[in-house]
Amino acid sequence: MPVSALPLFVVLSTALLAFIPHAAAQNCNATTLCPASAPCCSEYGFCGSGSYCLGGCEPLYSNKPTSCRPNPICQSGETNFNDLSRVQLNATKYDGNATAYDWVVNAGNLVADPNGQGVRLTLTENDQGTKISSTRYIHYGSIEFVLQSSKWGGVVTAAITMSDVKDEIDWEWAGATTDQVQTNYWFLGVANYSATQGASASVSSDASSNFHTYTFDWQENQLNWLIDNQVVRTVSKDETLSEDGSQYKYPSTPSRVQISIWPGGSDSQAQGTIDWAGGMINWQDPDYLSNGYFWNTLQSVKITCNDDPDQNTGTTGWAYSGNDTAGVPVVDVTNASTLLSASEPRVPLASGHSPLVALVSVLALALAGGIAML
Ligand SMILES: *[C@@H]1O[C@H](CO)[C@@H](O)[C@H](O)[C@H]1NC(C)=O
Ligand SMILES: *[C@@H]1O[C@H](CO)[C@@H](O)[C@H](O)[C@H]1NC(C)=O
Ligand SMILES: *[C@@H]1O[C@H](CO)[C@@H](O)[C@H](O)[C@H]1NC(C)=O
Ligand SMILES: *[C@@H]1O[C@H](CO)[C@@H](O)[C@H](O)[C@H]1NC(C)=O
Ligand SMILES: *[C@@H]1O[C@H](CO)[C@@H](O)[C@H](O)[C@H]1NC(C)=O
Ligand SMILES: *[C@@H]1O[C@H](CO)[C@@H](O)[C@H](O)[C@H]1NC(C)=O
């Protein structure tokens, strides 16, 4: 079992806790749901309204499952990250209109790749790295990431799918190990450590200096990880059946696609995570000193949704109604609006990142790098 076997939301939320303001909203979890006055439980586990009800809103910890806006329905397409016109850089401005934006920057900064090969997601000593999320959700299909990983001890690159109830499928590149990538998955935020659930795959050439295509082929009965079109790992739904036969511990809920860079080697992480990530980050590294950040490089993401006949019949998204008798969350397609109404507040989620600093520097760097902006 890899010591890393922590779902990414735990690692990232722990890191972000340090930044939450004192006036932070109430916590939410399986036993304490959000009150009607702040009905939505954010992905970081705090109650609020408005923006809290969008992507990542945890339906089963919210006041009602329908307090969260529906998960915007999947739409096949490819984003080349040389063009940021469909990336909302200011997450606070996002109102749930997935027709207007394909991606939202949740935290951190994007910098144009100096070689014109997409964007760098950056990590500095003063932030907790960068995370971007798709505005739409995918409920089975394939996701192809073309990227270069980071390459410094303690710095982690991740390309994942994450559902609002914490089903998760991962690619993770840890620290300076650039000839390997890790594959992992979680069911409702829980890994099955007895199974070989986390596994490493070899990459044919240095993952930090060569673009490779990393694919999830996520189907209802089988999940494949592929590198440059070669299958490197397969998990069948059948083999995830719990010992008591009650649950398939298999990712089965609509998920956002997320790419991030984060500090595995920092004081706020558990020792196991620090070791897995390749030790503490060296903030005196010459690459860091000359650039002012560590980075990975994201060239493109291609999403292919499984055929969904409902997409043409006014369906807007997926909504949760609760658990089935086996304790597996139930989702159904819906035609309810995914948007916030005009009166619902656009607020930053409790996470401490300053959207102002983020946007200003992204704009400055993007203009300097000649990126096409909205
Ligand atoms: C759930 O949240 C409540 C309210 O913040 C808190 O008192 C309780 O300890 C939490 N429970 C768990 C299991 O984290
Ligand atoms: C959503 O965005 C699209 C594209 O920008 C726009 O045409 C549409 O009017 C927006 N919908 C709402 C309800 O704001
Ligand atoms: C863990 O996975 C193994 C093999 O896939 C399976 O036999 C076992 O029942 C699982 N355990 C739990 C608690 O889900
Ligand atoms: C749903 O089932 C999960 C176990 O799969 C359980 O932890 C959770 O408390 C249940 N939630 C509700 C609202 O029933
Ligand atoms: C949503 O579907 C219901 C039931 O089919 C229908 O009554 C309602 O008018 C639809 N609403 C929208 C916004 O399409
Ligand atoms: C981001 O959007 C919020 C909400 O509209 C706004 O208050 C804030 O000033 C914006 N930040 C920047 C840098 O424009």
Side-chain angles (χ1 to χ4, degrees), residues 41 61-62 78 87 109 125 136 161 177 231 235 249 330 339:
C41 182
Y61 303 171
S62 292
E78 182 168 5
V87 180
N109 291 297
E125 196 169 3
R136 294 183 180 276
T161 65
T177 309
V231 175
V235 170
K249 295 183 178 287
V330 178
L339 279 87

Side-chain angles (χ1 to χ4, degrees), residues 3 204 212 288:
V3 284
S204 62
H212 290 280
Y288 184 76

Side-chain angles (χ1 to χ4, degrees), residues 105-191:
V105 178
N106 306 108
N109 291 297
L110 304 182
V111 173
D113 175 57
N115 304 313
Q117 302 273 2
V119 284
R120 290 175 166 182
L121 278 64
T122 64
L123 165 68
T124 73
E125 196 169 3
N126 295 322
D127 66 23
Q128 292 296 316
T130 296
K131 182 172 87 167
I132 74 169
S133 300
S134 62
T135 57
R136 294 183 180 276
Y137 287 62
I138 179 168
H139 196 202
Y140 305 118
S142 80
I143 304 104
E144 297 171 40
F145 303 91
V146 179
L147 56 78
Q148 289 178 353
S149 70
S150 41
K151 62 179 175 188
W152 302 275
V155 179
V156 181
T157 290
I160 73 169
T161 65
M162 174 79 81
S163 84
D164 293 352
V165 294
K166 315 292 198 237
D167 281 343
E168 179 179 337
I169 306 170
D170 284 12
W171 290 109
E172 279 184 299
W173 297 258
T177 309
T178 57
D179 59 347
Q180 301 272 307
V181 55
Q182 307 217 346
T183 60
N184 287 302
Y185 70 98
W186 284 263
F187 165 74
L188 304 183
V190 179

Side-chain angles (χ1 to χ4, degrees), residues 26-32:
Q26 177 184 327
N27 281 89
C28 33
N29 53 42
T31 48
T32 308

Side-chain angles (χ1 to χ4, degrees), residues 178-309:
T178 57
D179 59 347
Q180 301 272 307
V181 55
Q182 307 217 346
T183 60
N184 287 302
Y185 70 98
W186 284 263
F187 165 74
L188 304 183
V190 179
N192 172 348
Y193 298 121
S194 71
T196 49
Q197 201 144 16
S200 282
S202 295
V203 185
S204 62
S205 64
D206 187 300
S208 71
S209 52
N210 299 280
F211 287 101
H212 290 280
T213 303
Y214 303 89
T215 304
F216 299 133
D217 181 17
W218 178 35
Q219 302 301 329
E220 202 166 343
N221 293 309
Q222 187 170 278
L223 169 59
N224 282 296
W225 286 257
L226 300 90
I227 304 178
D228 300 330
N229 298 317
Q230 301 290 312
V231 175
V232 296
R233 184 172 183 200
T234 300
V235 170
S236 296
K237 182 174 182 176
D238 284 348
E239 70 193 66
T240 68
L241 189 62
S242 60
E243 266 154 32
D244 64 7
S246 67
Q247 276 182 340
Y248 289 99
K249 295 183 178 287
Y250 183 81
S252 64
T253 47
S255 297
R256 289 188 291 170
V257 177
Q258 302 183 317
I259 303 96
S260 64
I261 184 169
W262 57 276
S266 83
D267 287 333
S268 59
Q269 304 292 357
Q271 189 60 46
T273 303
I274 295 170
D275 294 343
W276 168 78
M280 292 295 284
I281 295 172
N282 173 17
W283 298 107
Q284 302 306 316
D285 187 289
D287 287 333
Y288 184 76
L289 295 178
S290 59
N291 289 276
Y293 56 79
F294 291 117
W295 69 93
N296 56 40
T297 307
L298 179 63
Q299 187 176 89
S300 64
V301 179
K302 183 178 179 186
I303 295 174
T304 308
C305 318
N306 278 12
D307 286 343
D308 185 344

